[in-house]
């Protein structure tokens, strides 16, 4: 399926990063194509903790390293950012969300994190933080025509491998050349529909094939109520 193919490609790129011990994996795709889902599911399969840092045009370089907090007794003090927390956690996944909204001059200061040194430098007293063993760095980005998105700096793109995520295809052709409809995107939507949310992935596939592609089976007949049939028809039209 589309999701399996995407996961296989993602694993290939992350394995390359782990083997080389440098670079980053960049996921580029429209909103809703499953960039975050892919990372979260991979993290679940590999039992890795995920740390997210949301980028934006207003972010300064120091915010990738530490945040400022205030306490009446202590005054103003620093706490480590989620970036630093991820680098300190062996096997963690650091997700730089909407990485291309960061100003190029700010992102450039992170070049050392993406190269062989895998280190962030604080620029004072020679303080630095090196990525722990097995840490993965993932950058998520929307296409350049989205509002606020800037071209990814060449110094960053050259250090990474990019994977393009598309919306799951809907139409397909069977062996006889007949048009059929794939359930990939419908599988992601089903959990928001009360009549379908309690079905397993396999059960949903059965009733999708029965109602949408007219491939009837006894097992599907037991699951396919009139309410579910109506919802499947509506999903097909929506998609």
């Amino acid at each position: 399926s589309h999701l399996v193919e995407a996961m296989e490609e993602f694993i290939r790129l992350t394995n390359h990063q782990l083997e080389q011990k440098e670079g980053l994996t960049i996921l580029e795709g429209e909103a809703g194509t499953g960039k975050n889902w892919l990372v979260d599911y991979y993290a679940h399969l590999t039992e890795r903790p995920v740390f997210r840092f949301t980028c934006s045009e207003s972010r300064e370089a120091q915010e990738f390293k530490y945040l400022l907090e205030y306490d009446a007794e202590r005054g103003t003090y620093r706490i480590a950012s989620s970036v630093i927390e991820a680098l300190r956690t062996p096997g963690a996944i650091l997700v730089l969300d909407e990485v291309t909204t960061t100003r190029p001059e700010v992102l450039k200061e992170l070049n050392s994190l993406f190269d062989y040194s895998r280190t962030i430098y604080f620029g004072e007293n020679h303080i630095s933080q090196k990525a722990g063993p097995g840490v993965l760095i993932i950058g998520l980005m929307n296409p350049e025509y989205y509002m606020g998105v800037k071209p990814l700096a060449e110094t960053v793109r050259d250090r990474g491998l990019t994977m393009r995520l598309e919306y799951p295809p809907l139409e397909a052709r069977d062996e006889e050349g007949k048009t059929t409809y794939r359930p990939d995107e419908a599988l992601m939507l089903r959990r928001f529909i009360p009549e379908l949310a309690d079905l397993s992935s396999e059960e949903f596939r059965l009733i999708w094939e029965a109602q949408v592609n007219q491939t009837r089976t006894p097992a599907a007949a037991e699951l396919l109520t009139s309410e579910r049939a109506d919802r499947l028809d509506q999903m097909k039209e929506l998609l």
Side-chain angles (χ1 to χ4, degrees), residues 1-18:
S1 72
H2 173 81
L3 297 177
V4 172
E5 293 168 1
M7 181 59 73
E8 288 175 346
E9 175 65 6
F10 183 67
I11 290 173
R12 186 184 71 82
L13 296 185
T14 54
N15 283 346
H16 182 272
Q17 184 183 153
L18 291 171

Side-chain angles (χ1 to χ4, degrees), residues 85-126:
E85 291 293 340
L87 299 182
R88 290 173 176 172
T89 307
I93 299 176
L94 168 60
V95 179
L96 300 176
D97 200 6
E98 299 187 16
V99 63
T100 43
T101 60
T102 309
R103 301 195 308 278
E105 64 271 20
V106 172
L107 203 56
K108 185 177 180 180
E109 293 196 32
L110 300 179
N111 282 348
S112 58
L113 178 60
F114 307 137
D115 64 22
Y116 65 91
S117 65
R118 311 254 314 156
T119 302
I120 275 187
Y121 295 94
F122 289 78
E124 52 192 51
N125 300 324
H126 303 290

Side-chain angles (χ1 to χ4, degrees), residues 17 36 54 75 83 106 138 140 143 154 160 171 176 213 233 238-239:
Q17 184 183 153
N36 277 294
T54 302
V83 174
V106 172
I138 312 295
L140 307 184
E154 286 299 320
E171 294 188 3
E176 299 176 355
N213 292 322
D233 288 339
L238 174 65
L239 294 172

Side-chain angles (χ1 to χ4, degrees), residues 52-226:
R52 281 188 165 81
F53 184 89
T54 302
C55 303
S56 70
E57 185 175 14
S58 62
R59 291 283 196 187
E60 300 294 340
Q62 72 173 33
E63 294 179 75
F64 286 81
K65 306 166 186 177
Y66 58 82
L67 304 175
L68 296 177
E69 294 284 347
Y70 176 78
D71 180 83
E73 295 183 1
R74 298 176 58 185
T76 301
Y77 62 97
R78 295 179 181 180
I79 62 171
S81 70
S82 56
V83 174
I84 299 300
E85 291 293 340
L87 299 182
R88 290 173 176 172
T89 307
I93 299 176
L94 168 60
V95 179
L96 300 176
D97 200 6
E98 299 187 16
V99 63
T100 43
T101 60
T102 309
R103 301 195 308 278
E105 64 271 20
V106 172
L107 203 56
K108 185 177 180 180
E109 293 196 32
L110 300 179
N111 282 348
S112 58
L113 178 60
F114 307 137
D115 64 22
Y116 65 91
S117 65
R118 311 254 314 156
T119 302
I120 275 187
Y121 295 94
F122 289 78
E124 52 192 51
N125 300 324
H126 303 290
I127 298 175
S128 63
Q129 179 63 56
K130 186 177 179 65
V135 170
L136 278 168
I137 305 172
I138 312 295
L140 307 184
M141 56 182 283
N142 291 326
E144 290 184 9
Y145 52 79
Y146 272 51
M147 183 177 296
V149 173
K150 302 169 181 61
L152 188 63
E154 286 299 320
T155 53
V156 177
R157 189 179 289 275
D158 289 348
R159 287 170 166 80
L161 294 175
T162 301
M163 173 180 171
R164 172 79 185 180
L165 273 177
E166 306 287 352
Y167 290 113
L170 179 61
E171 294 188 3
R173 296 278 183 180
D174 63 17
E175 295 178 355
E176 299 176 355
K178 175 186 173 183
T179 298
T180 60
Y181 299 92
R182 297 175 56 163
D184 299 86
E185 197 165 3
L187 273 166
M188 292 188 283
L189 296 176
R190 82 182 194 283
R191 66 182 185 274
F192 301 110
I193 302 173
E195 295 86 350
L196 304 172
D198 61 334
L199 295 171
S200 68
S201 296
E202 186 55 38
E203 288 172 335
F204 181 84
R205 288 179 184 276
L206 281 173
I207 65 170
W208 175 273
E209 292 299 326
Q211 180 66 21
V212 176
N213 292 322
Q214 297 299 301
T215 304
R216 306 280 178 171
T217 64
E222 294 180 8
L223 297 167
L224 190 58
T225 64
S226 59

